[in-house]
Amino acid sequence: MTGATMTAASIETAIRGLEDRRYAAVLTGEFDRFAALAHPDLVYTHSNAEVDTRDSYLDKLRTGHYRYHRIDHPVTRVVVAADTAIVVGEMHAEITAGGVRKTLANRVLAVWVYENDEWLLLAFQPTVIPAGERR
């Protein structure tokens, strides 16, 4: 089955599950599991505007630069166009980044592509939610 032959509903279900798995992987320190979900050309942007590749993000995870303590990631919408799925939602997290404990409240956009019979995370982009709009 290719991405083009799956229904939008089945793709949305699959993508929601993959989002759960990728967040769980970084939360539990299963970084190889995250790597298996990430496209080799991953563009991972952070809320402070830093940009990582798959390899540089994994290196930061493995060395403890980023440590996730809690992550909530409600998905608002999954948009499917051919072999691409766009996830629109939020990410609320407690992390330590570079030795500094932080609370994150972001709106997020994640891009998944169907390639070689699997969905892979190609891009992630968070935007800080203004303080007055946070839940």
Side-chain angles (χ1 to χ4, degrees):
M1 179 180 280
T2 67
T5 61
M6 289 185 247
T7 67
S10 68
I11 292 170
E12 179 172 347
T13 298
I15 295 299
R16 285 176 180 269
L18 290 167
E19 284 283 287
D20 289 344
R21 287 174 48 200
R22 81 173 176 96
Y23 281 113
V26 297
L27 188 60
T28 60
E30 298 174 81
F31 306 131
D32 289 341
R33 208 168 101 193
F34 176 86
L37 298 171
H39 193 281
D41 294 325
L42 175 67
V43 176
Y44 196 100
T45 305
H46 300 274
S47 55
N48 65 358
E50 286 185 26
V51 179
D52 276 309
T53 64
R54 181 180 75 171
D55 292 342
S56 66
Y57 182 59
L58 284 166
D59 183 57
K60 288 175 181 174
L61 289 170
R62 289 182 175 128
T63 61
H65 179 81
Y66 292 119
R67 285 186 299 125
Y68 292 83
H69 309 291
R70 176 191 63 83
I71 304 172
D72 297 315
H73 59 96
V75 173
T76 305
R77 186 173 172 210
V78 177
V79 179
V80 178
D83 288 345
T84 303
I86 307 293
V87 178
V88 179
E90 294 184 7
M91 181 184 74
H92 301 271
E94 297 289 331
I95 72 165
T96 299
V100 177
R101 184 88 179 217
K102 298 179 179 187
T103 299
L104 302 179
N106 296 311
R107 290 203 176 91
V108 297
L109 185 71
V111 179
W112 292 81
V113 293
Y114 194 78
E115 193 172 281
N116 299 320
D117 295 324
E118 64 182 341
W119 287 99
L120 297 171
L121 178 66
L122 180 62
F124 179 74
Q125 174 73 53
T127 301
V128 175
I129 300 172
E133 296 180 29
R134 295 181 186 177
R135 57 179 174 121

